[in-house]
Amino acid sequence: SGASGLRIVDISDPLAPVLLASDIENTTGTRDIEVFVHPDNGRVYAVMAHGGSRMTLVDVTDPRFPAIASIVTDIGPAHNIAVVPGTAIVYNSQSLPTGNPTQQPGSVGHIDVVDFTDPVKPTAEKVRFPTFILDPTGVPIPIATVACHDFAFAPERGLGACGALTQALIWDITEPLQPAIVQVIQIDGNSLFHSQWFAQNGDLLILGDEFDGVLVRAPCWR
């Protein structure tokens, strides 16, 4: 994807890759592609962040003849996206920095949840962050971030996680259309929570610290 739009390459023989499709209409400027099998119709789709505030779904069941299924326009900035495993639901992280002008004073952060159950007529809803959650002892933990940067999932545990720049958030995704924040992680000296990965069947979360980001404080040493 990118300036030239979506390209599909057959790498069955990694030493002799074959370009199957390129110059696909309405895909110029797309980024962060994910591919999934639709749980209802069994077709294969590529979904991608597209330009400023769009998400594009392409039917790639026959990779030689990809076809646009739909373009979602009623979402926020589309920087990184993630398909909830086993579903046709896609989260748009937005990746808004703290203090982004799109956030009104006193407003809370949010992500977009796009439902491609009907690939031709998807729906999009904002899931807004609460201003705080309570720890097990009832002490409030403030949620200071305004968006996620990227997502990871541990479907076997019904969990999702996002590096959310100033914080990292753990989500309950057992109801993927209504994810809920269940824990907030903050680490002194962290520069910018950027990416994350689950390991050990969801028992371990690895967080990436993007040093030299917009909140530079210390070298990446964790």
Side-chain angles (χ1 to χ4, degrees), residues 97-120:
T98 301
N100 187 280
T102 64
Q103 294 293 123
Q104 299 300 314
S107 67
V108 295
H110 59 270
I111 61 170
D112 296 301
V113 176
V114 181
D115 185 356
F116 286 105
T117 299
D118 183 340
V120 179

Side-chain angles (χ1 to χ4, degrees), residues 24-219:
I24 300 166
E25 187 177 4
N26 292 322
T27 64
T28 300
T30 51
R31 54 169 292 142
D32 198 37
I33 300 171
E34 293 214 1
V35 177
F36 69 98
V37 178
H38 198 287
D40 295 333
N41 64 24
R43 300 189 70 80
V44 182
Y45 292 94
V47 61
M48 61 208 80
H50 190 164
S53 298
R54 293 182 291 171
M55 190 182 297
T56 299
L57 185 72
V58 182
D59 188 329
V60 295
T61 306
D62 185 339
R64 298 166 300 173
F65 300 101
I68 298 289
S70 57
I71 299 176
V72 179
T73 58
D74 50 346
I75 59 174
H79 184 65
N80 287 324
I81 60 174
V83 179
V84 180
T87 77
I89 297 168
V90 183
Y91 293 171
N92 173 34
S93 61
Q94 295 207 10
S95 189
L96 300 174
T98 301
N100 187 280
T102 64
Q103 294 293 123
Q104 299 300 314
S107 67
V108 295
H110 59 270
I111 61 170
D112 296 301
V113 176
V114 181
D115 185 356
F116 286 105
T117 299
D118 183 340
V120 179
K121 296 181 179 179
T123 60
E125 300 287 343
K126 292 189 186 304
V127 171
R128 299 193 178 277
F129 301 172
T131 56
F132 66 90
I133 62 171
L134 299 177
D135 75 5
T137 66
V139 175
I141 305 174
I143 297 177
T145 189
V146 300
C148 292
H149 179 268
D150 206 355
F151 282 97
F153 299 103
E156 63 276 14
R157 296 195 58 187
L159 294 177
C162 78
L165 306 182
T166 55
Q167 299 173 320
L169 306 176
I170 307 297
W171 296 74
D172 179 340
I173 60 163
T174 51
E175 296 290 341
L177 289 174
Q178 298 178 321
I181 298 171
V182 295
Q183 187 55 277
V184 178
I185 299 171
Q186 298 186 134
I187 299 175
D188 291 340
N190 179 72
S191 176
L192 192 155
F193 289 109
H194 185 267
S195 299
Q196 63 297 302
W197 304 265
F198 279 104
Q200 297 180 356
N201 296 319
D203 289 339
L204 181 68
L205 179 65
I206 302 169
L207 293 165
D209 179 357
E210 184 186 35
F211 179 62
D212 203 23
V214 297
L215 299 174
V216 174
R217 294 177 188 168

